[in-house]
Amino acid sequence: MKKRKLTFIIFGGLILLFLIVTGFNTFMVKSKQPAPHPAIIKINQEEAVQHLSKAITYKTVSYQERSKFDLKEFDKFITFLQESFPEVNQKLSFEKVNGYALVYKWKGSDSSKNPIGLTSHYDVVPVLKGTEANWEQDPFSGAVVDGRIWGRGTLDDKIGVIGILQAVDYLLKEGYEPDRDMYFMFGFDEEIGGDEGASKIVDTLKAKGITFEYVLDEGGAIVESMVPGVIQPVGVVGISEKGSATAELSIEGSGGHSSQPKDHTNIGRIASAIAKLEDTQFKGDLRGPGKDMFEFVAPEMSFGMKFVFANKAIFEPVIEKILLGQPASAALIRTTIAPTIFQAGEQYNALPEKASAIINLRLMPGDSLEDVKRFIEDTIEDKDIKVTVTGSEASKVSSVNSWQFKSIQQAARNVYSNAVVAPYLMFAGSDARQYDPVSKNTYRFLPVQITSEDLNRMHGTNEHVSIENYINAIKFYVEVIREANKRHSVK
């Protein structure tokens, strides 16, 4: 009896100790959100809306086949910028790189400070053929209806180009003078990789010996209902973007008549390899940008979720299992596998002599192309299947504890005071990775508050932005320029 009582006492003591330690950890979690300091910024809304509306009408479409570019439209767009922002063109230096990439430089008063770069792109993706009739407004009309601006580029990413220039124009008219040099850089082929736009800008900057404190591009946004347990919208700032690789699995062997098949045909073996990869998957691991994101949002969570994330060392396996349950959150903590193309056979009664499959993978920071190839080969366990992997690894991971990140976070909070602003890992690609060689940090953030439906519209049908969102984007760029010039780092 005494032995049982002692066991209960020890067990109860351990539970009590567990609750004390985990409860202490939970209550010690402090918010990482700076207090907002909103400034009074009076944007000329009528003029700003007119500029973005007009910008949408230029069909600056990027095609995979560059010969399809209508460069006359790109020329017209550049002329439109020069005519719409005369003060910007008068007081800032302007350079065209490789014909169509644009660089504005606003000279600061202190040459000892490294510059800041804000970048966007003015090319847009094509409207999918056959979907034109599904648009409520013509995709290149720039129509202003019911408090919204409609058309391709309203979210991705002419809003960035026009928003930045509107902010600079506002500050110039206010008599503002930056301490450090400010660069505003606009690519024209981001949607197909940026090789002739942002990449050439970087070559030019590198030749001049320019190093940025940070470059801010498009990317994350302020998304509603994004994180379980967080009521507020979450503004996610990309501190890295996943790599993108293409793996080809191929096998060759004798074909023959389908009436006498082998037990394992070429098609079957490739199909089996894909099934093994999908069943196995890369291991999920809450690390890097994903871990950083939850450290920023955990203090704002409901108590139950905060308790779990405050004691991550204990609950990490549970957290990872929960995150792996949904595609969006799973992509945050592992390299993803997406079979996209399967090629085999030409005739219904003939076994194909060759079968192949294409798999798109998005690589976590730290996973190399060689790691990916080794994982595939070890998983499929078929030496007759040739595996080739090409592509790019993840971009570098930028700091979240530096003044650079905090200045962006502060600017976002100044405009969206209710938002929780946190770092995250961007799944898609952007021009930001091009700037890694000339910048200490590269960040990705589109300063608009949107829903998951809006995210789907970026490359889809009925892309539009509310006037309120657009005006707030301009205010953010005003704030981020001011915040960047409050800091005192030197070269």
Side-chain angles (χ1 to χ4, degrees):
M1 193 72 175
K2 288 183 178 179
K3 199 172 184 180
R4 183 183 295 177
K5 187 177 181 180
L6 181 61
T7 301
F8 277 127
I9 291 172
I10 293 172
F11 184 68
L14 289 173
I15 291 176
L16 181 61
L17 180 63
F18 172 82
L19 291 174
I20 290 172
V21 171
T22 55
F24 177 79
N25 290 341
T26 304
F27 284 108
M28 286 303 292
V29 171
K30 303 296 183 186
S31 177
K32 290 179 174 284
Q33 303 303 307
H37 301 293
I40 297 174
I41 302 173
K42 295 182 179 180
I43 302 298
N44 184 334
Q45 181 171 303
E46 183 179 351
E47 178 190 74
V49 169
Q50 183 183 22
H51 284 161
L52 181 56
S53 172
K54 182 65 176 175
I56 302 304
T57 65
Y58 298 98
K59 296 181 179 180
T60 52
V61 180
S62 274
Y63 296 96
Q64 290 297 332
E65 295 180 42
R66 289 184 178 270
S67 60
K68 291 184 177 180
F69 275 48
D70 185 353
L71 293 177
K72 290 181 180 178
E73 289 292 301
F74 289 72
D75 285 325
K76 289 178 184 176
F77 181 80
I78 295 170
T79 300
F80 155 74
L81 291 183
Q82 293 171 331
E83 293 174 349
S84 299
F85 299 99
E87 194 147 2
V88 173
N89 282 280
Q90 180 184 349
K91 296 187 178 178
L92 275 63
S93 63
F94 173 69
E95 179 181 5
K96 284 197 283 187
V97 176
N98 200 24
Y100 295 93
L102 314 178
V103 179
Y104 293 84
K105 179 184 176 182
W106 194 358
K107 188 168 179 55
S109 59
D110 188 348
S111 61
S112 69
K113 294 182 178 180
N114 283 321
I116 301 295
L118 304 183
T119 183
S120 295
H121 64 92
Y122 66 94
D123 61 311
V124 299
V125 297
V127 174
L128 188 63
K129 193 172 182 180
T131 66
E132 295 88 349
N134 298 332
W135 284 72
E136 293 181 36
Q137 305 293 332
D138 185 278
F140 292 100
S141 65
V144 182
V145 180
D146 297 329
R148 300 170 181 173
I149 308 167
W150 292 77
R152 186 61 93 219
T154 49
L155 286 172
D156 187 12
D157 183 33
K158 286 179 179 175
I159 185 176
V161 176
I162 305 302
I164 289 169
L165 291 176
Q166 286 288 161
V168 174
D169 187 63
Y170 170 85
L171 287 168
L172 286 170
K173 289 172 180 174
E174 290 285 302
Y176 180 82
E177 295 181 4
D179 290 339
R180 62 176 80 242
D181 291 349
M182 302 292 301
Y183 284 78
F184 312 107
M185 304 163 291
F186 306 129
F188 71 96
D189 64 343
E190 187 272 350
E191 297 293 0
I192 58 170
D195 293 337
E196 297 298 320
S199 179
K200 300 300 183 184
I201 291 175
V202 169
D203 289 343
T204 301
L205 296 170
K206 196 184 296 184
K208 295 178 180 179
I210 293 168
T211 300
F212 293 101
E213 282 294 337
Y214 72 80
V215 169
L216 176 64
D217 195 7
E218 61 164 338
I222 300 169
V223 187
E224 300 169 12
S225 305
M226 179 179 179
V227 179
V230 180
I231 299 172
Q232 306 100 301
V234 177
V236 286
V237 180
I239 59 172
S240 177
E241 55 191 68
K242 295 180 86 171
S244 180
T246 298
E248 181 177 6
L249 279 57
S250 61
I251 187 170
E252 294 188 36
S254 59
H257 199 280
S258 62
S259 63
Q260 301 178 62
K262 295 180 180 178
D263 288 345
H264 299 285
T265 63
N266 290 338
I267 288 179
R269 290 170 74 175
I270 292 291
S272 175
I274 291 174
K276 286 180 179 179
L277 288 169
E278 290 188 327
D279 288 342
T280 306
Q281 297 290 344
F282 284 83
K283 185 181 181 299
D285 187 5
L286 185 57
R287 58 184 167 88
K291 178 183 175 184
D292 290 334
M293 174 181 169
F294 284 106
E295 286 183 352
F296 273 72
V297 299
E300 320 304 325
M301 288 178 166
S302 57
F303 181 81
M305 295 292 286
K306 187 190 295 187
F307 178 82
V308 171
F309 280 96
N311 296 281
K312 185 163 53 61
I314 299 171
F315 296 112
E316 189 162 342
V318 177
I319 295 170
E320 290 173 355
K321 186 174 181 179
I322 292 170
L323 294 175
L324 291 172
Q326 296 293 330
S329 53
L332 189 65
I333 64 171
R334 74 178 178 199
T335 292
T336 54
I337 298 169
T340 52
I341 301 173
F342 198 114
Q343 296 175 324
E346 296 179 358
Q347 190 166 316
Y348 79 95
N349 62 351
L351 297 172
E353 294 184 3
K354 181 179 180 180
S356 65
I358 300 295
I359 301 172
N360 180 253
L361 302 105
R362 298 302 170 106
L363 279 62
M364 287 285 290
D367 287 355
S368 68
L369 296 176
E370 188 57 40
D371 292 335
V372 168
K373 183 179 180 182
R374 190 181 308 113
F375 172 83
I376 293 173
E377 291 174 338
D378 291 346
T379 302
I380 66 177
E381 296 180 302
D382 190 333
K383 293 183 179 179
D384 291 332
I385 294 178
K386 181 182 178 183
V387 178
T388 60
V389 178
T390 57
S392 60
E393 295 167 2
S395 68
K396 72 179 182 183
V397 179
S398 295
S399 171
V400 298
N401 298 313
S402 61
W403 72 261
Q404 292 94 332
F405 178 83
K406 290 176 182 177
S407 69
I408 297 168
Q409 187 187 32
Q410 184 68 64
R413 291 274 292 169
N414 289 352
V415 178
Y416 293 95
S417 59
N418 190 44
V420 177
V421 183
Y424 94 122
L425 176 62
M426 186 169 161
F427 305 153
S430 73
D431 273 345
R433 69 162 55 235
Q434 302 277 6
Y435 289 92
D436 277 352
V438 292
S439 186
K440 294 180 181 179
N441 296 276
T442 49
Y443 299 106
R444 302 145 181 87
F445 181 62
L446 179 67
V448 296
Q449 184 169 333
I450 58 180
T451 65
S452 56
E453 290 181 358
D454 293 321
L455 290 172
N456 293 330
R457 291 191 184 102
M458 283 190 177
H459 282 194
T461 299
N462 286 324
E463 183 179 347
H464 63 262
V465 67
S466 70
I467 291 174
E468 181 183 10
N469 253 326
Y470 168 48
I471 297 300
N472 281 337
I474 298 170
K475 290 180 179 180
F476 166 81
Y477 288 122
V478 170
E479 290 284 5
V480 87
I481 291 170
R482 286 173 171 168
E483 288 294 331
N485 282 281
K486 291 178 182 176
R487 315 293 169 156
H488 301 292
S489 64
V490 295
K491 294 180 182 179

